[in-house]
Amino acid sequence: DAKTTQPNSMESNEEEPVHLPCNHSTISGTDYIHWYRQLPSQGPEYVIHGLTSNVNNRMASLAIAEDRKSSTLILHRATLRDAAVYYCILRKIAQKLVFGQGTRLTINP
Amino acid sequence: EADIYQTPRYLVIGTGKKITLECSQTMGHDKMYWYQQDPGMELHLIHYSYGVNSTEKGDLSSESTVSRIRTEHFPLTLESARPSHTSQYLCASSELISGGSYNEQFFGPGTRLTVL
């Protein structure tokens, strides 16, 4: 299975954009890139997913490199509520989600 | 807003007791999952179900068992709790969409279990 590599932690300031990187150099053509996040004392929640093209939704944007070996989750204007562990996950259709360590994002007021 | 519920949220129990962690979802989702997560660590899939009367073991071996008698309900049971079972247990569900793939997973708030 293709693996993802994320920084263990990142820090940003409130109301500034945040770019969370994810490397997946062994990604295959059928792997979708999923992002989930887990707020303190809660279950994970879906953020966004994509295959080849950049994606936008109300929570975030997903920028996928042209060779698909990396992607970036973009929070356009971070709030204190965005402090969480962010998981970048590769997943084929109908396969299970496999969570890694993720990136712990801290937002400073 | 996801409609998936877990009870109890917190449970402290003595060794040897039988416990059942409840998980219910009102979204009519086919697939349901149980994950185990120790503090600060990764989530590990321990059980999943494709639908009624379907149960499968996950990636992490677990002494717990599950059942799926109704679509909306996916309880997890430990016949004899031990301190090594102390962990957070998270339930999730997802919907089968056209083409045979599953949509995003919705997670419950989790049950934090402590076995003394």
Side-chain angles (χ1 to χ4, degrees):
Chain A
D1 291 337
K3 300 293 184 189
T4 63
T5 303
Q6 299 177 253
N8 288 332
S9 61
M10 288 184 64
E11 205 169 317
S12 186
N13 298 319
E14 200 175 8
E15 299 187 6
E16 289 183 358
V18 181
H19 291 235
L20 294 160
C22 181
N23 288 320
H24 28 79
S25 57
T26 60
I27 192 171
S28 74
T30 55
D31 283 325
Y32 284 77
I33 302 161
H34 291 253
W35 284 84
Y36 280 73
R37 72 179 186 180
Q38 187 172 19
L39 279 66
S41 301
Q42 294 188 28
E45 64 175 343
Y46 167 84
V47 177
I48 200 167
H49 79 281
L51 183 61
T52 56
S53 304
N54 295 343
V55 184
N56 299 297
N57 66 20
R58 62 175 180 83
M59 288 182 71
S61 295
L62 176 60
I64 301 172
E66 201 168 329
D67 63 5
R68 300 186 73 233
K69 293 183 185 299
S70 66
S71 60
T72 302
L73 180 71
I74 302 166
L75 307 179
H76 295 285
R77 197 161 167 267
T79 70
L80 296 177
R81 287 196 69 252
D82 291 320
V85 178
Y86 287 78
Y87 299 99
C88 171
I89 303 166
L90 299 184
R91 180 192 188 193
K92 292 179 172 49
I93 287 178
Q95 279 196 345
K96 305 183 288 286
L97 285 175
V98 179
F99 288 82
Q101 293 277 16
T103 296
R104 184 172 298 276
L105 176 65
T106 301
I107 304 296
N108 299 316
Chain B
E1 193 73 23
D3 295 314
I4 181 163
Y5 309 98
Q6 290 186 244
T7 57
R9 290 293 312 275
Y10 302 91
L11 179 62
V12 181
I13 201 162
T15 296
K17 300 290 186 184
K18 178 180 178 179
I19 59 168
T20 296
L21 308 184
E22 302 288 349
C23 176
S24 296
Q25 50 95 4
T26 59
M27 299 171 282
H29 286 173
D30 300 293
K31 202 163 182 183
M32 296 188 73
Y33 316 77
W34 276 103
Y35 293 84
Q36 184 174 340
Q37 184 180 33
D38 293 331
M41 303 299 286
E42 305 165 25
L43 283 84
H44 293 285
L45 182 68
I46 53 174
H47 299 283
Y48 60 101
S49 165
Y50 290 107
V52 171
N53 294 325
S54 154
T55 60
E56 304 284 343
K57 294 283 190 183
D59 302 321
L60 180 69
S61 175
S62 173
E63 293 169 347
S64 59
T65 59
V66 292
S67 62
R68 189 88 182 275
I69 299 171
R70 302 199 317 264
T71 298
E72 63 272 21
H73 197 212
F74 191 41
L76 180 145
T77 298
L78 276 165
E79 289 293 331
S80 179
R82 293 206 301 271
S84 60
H85 297 139
T86 294
S87 188
Q88 173 158 262
Y89 293 84
L90 290 152
C91 180
S93 71
S94 62
E95 179 184 15
L96 177 64
I97 60 176
S98 60
S101 64
Y102 284 95
N103 214 337
E104 64 186 87
Q105 287 187 20
F106 294 92
F107 283 81
T111 294
R112 190 168 295 282
L113 172 66
T114 302
V115 184
L116 303 175

